[in-house]
Structure formats: structure tokens, C-alpha cells
Amino acid sequence: MTTHSLAADTPLATIRANIAQSEKIAGRPTGATTLIAISKTKPVEAIEDLIAQGQKVFGENRVQEAEAKFPELRARYPDLELHMVGQLQSNKADDAVALFDVIHSLDRMSLAKALAAAMTKAGRQVPCFIQVNIGEEEQKGGCALPDLPQFLEQVRALGLPVVGLMAVPPADVEPSPYFALLAKLARDHGLDQLSMGMSGDYETAVRIGATHVRIGSALFGAR
């Protein structure tokens, strides 16, 4: 381990400490939350800097950008884990299944069918989160709240490995009620993983039960 990786004043160290403190406040086990470093638009050098500090889990929002960066990185660092956190086009399902370890943006049947076919063809099961349009915002992707029970039933019937729910609350409002609603929906449907919380609200998300937080700017700086 390098001296750099031991530094206590890096953004990564600060965020990890904040997550641990939020877990403690909520009475959750230390380490219950996975920190996903959102590396979209960031060069390989910036990603390697975080790897040197011990970060192994990264998120990208475009298949093409991930394909340009991560095969080479994984050749050097085989224990990296890569999450798809952006909207996914159905025609990219094969590529996504080949490249990503987890998909956070399953939100419609056309994509579910494409992913199911891709996983069957590849012989590889990739855990999926259903993205929920938790604030019922027209401009955002995600399964509509009233449609979630039926959509989840249909997705499970396809054999997709659904592990949890993901959401992005509306901007510039208190996120707690939205996180709490997502947590309730997950419990109601027998799902135990929650992908929620970003740079501005991850501590709140962890206190409400997030198992995965997606942090970009607080780690890498403003885009």
C-alpha cells in the first residue's frame, strides 16, 4: 500500500468516514454500504488514483465510455467491480451484460427482455436494480410508481436477477421522504438492496438504509 493510500484527508477517506458514521447513527453494521465511485467523463488516470487509495467499485453511465476505459483497467486490476448506473438502451444489452457486474437502471419491459436474452446467450447472470421514478417526474427515467408491482412480477418471470430498487429524488428538495418511500417499496416487495444517495445526500441515504451510494463530484471534483 502506498503512502498516498493511507492519507486521511483525501475526499475518499472523508466520504468513507461519513458513511461509517451514518451507519453507526442508524444502528447498521459498519461496511453495510457499498460506495460506487461514479467515474463518467473521468480519465483513466483519475480512476487509477482512486484505485491506489483502495477503491474497487466504479460506476459508468454509458456503455461506450465504459468500453473505452475498463477492459484495460481490469487487465491491470482484476478485482475491480463495474456498475451501470445510467439509462441503458435495449440495443446495448449484449454489451452491458458482457461488461458490467451490476445494472442499476432496469426500468421497462423492452430492456428487461433484451437483458434476459443477453444473459441467456452469455451464460452470465448480472444482478439488476429496478429504477423507480420516485418523484414522478416526467423528464426522468424509471418505472412509474403504480406500475412497479406488475413490472417486478413480469421481470421476475423472465428470470432476471432483481436484487433491489434504485432512484434519484427530485433536485433541490429534502430527499428523506423519497428515500424512505423507496425503502418501504423494497421491503414490501421482498428486496433488500437500495441504490440511492449521491454526492449531496449520501449520508441521509445511508441513515435510511442505502446499500449502495453513487458518488461522483464529491470524489472527483465538479465535472
Side-chain angles (χ1 to χ4, degrees):
M1 186 175 286
T2 65
T3 302
H4 179 53
S5 66
L6 294 172
D9 58 350
T10 63
L12 177 60
T14 298
I15 289 166
R16 284 178 168 171
N18 291 343
I19 289 172
Q21 178 64 17
S22 296
E23 289 170 338
K24 182 178 180 181
I25 290 169
R28 301 177 63 199
T30 300
T33 312
T34 297
L35 167 59
I36 305 171
I38 304 302
S39 51
K40 64 182 183 181
T41 77
K42 297 304 177 184
V44 167
E45 294 77 18
I47 296 170
E48 286 193 295
D49 184 58
L50 281 186
I51 293 171
Q53 297 174 55
Q55 178 66 23
K56 302 296 184 184
V57 184
F58 292 87
E60 291 280 337
N61 72 333
R62 293 178 64 246
V63 171
Q64 187 173 355
E65 183 179 350
E67 285 176 330
K69 294 190 291 193
F70 276 90
E72 179 185 349
L73 280 166
R74 277 183 149 156
R76 296 200 295 277
Y77 309 100
D79 55 347
L80 294 186
E81 186 175 298
L82 186 58
H83 293 233
M84 176 64 181
V85 299
Q87 291 297 303
L88 180 58
Q89 296 175 338
S90 297
N91 63 4
K92 294 289 187 181
D94 286 348
D95 295 332
V97 166
L99 184 61
F100 291 96
D101 299 297
V102 184
I103 293 169
H104 289 244
S105 48
L106 174 57
D107 64 354
R108 60 196 186 280
M109 276 307 298
S110 58
L111 178 58
K113 291 176 180 177
L115 286 171
M119 290 182 200
T120 298
K121 184 162 61 174
R124 181 170 191 250
Q125 290 287 95
V126 179
C128 295
F129 288 80
I130 290 179
Q131 182 176 351
V132 180
N133 189 344
I134 200 73
E136 301 181 292
E137 298 173 275
E138 290 183 6
Q139 76 277 17
K140 279 187 180 173
C143 174
L145 285 169
D147 298 338
L148 179 60
Q150 182 180 14
F151 181 58
L152 182 56
E153 181 180 348
Q154 292 172 328
V155 167
R156 284 172 165 162
L158 288 173
L160 284 177
V162 178
V163 296
L165 302 179
M166 182 272 256
V168 180
D172 303 320
V173 299
E174 170 56 46
S176 299
Y178 298 96
F179 291 153
L181 175 57
L182 194 73
K184 181 182 185 303
L185 290 170
R187 288 194 303 271
D188 289 348
H189 293 290
L191 298 167
D192 59 7
Q193 297 190 43
L194 290 166
S195 174
M196 61 186 194
M198 298 190 295
S199 289
D201 56 20
Y202 68 90
E203 292 170 88
T204 300
V206 171
R207 289 195 292 270
I208 294 174
T211 59
H212 296 72
V213 292
R214 312 178 305 271
I215 300 180
S217 59
L219 277 173
F220 290 99
R223 303 192 190 285

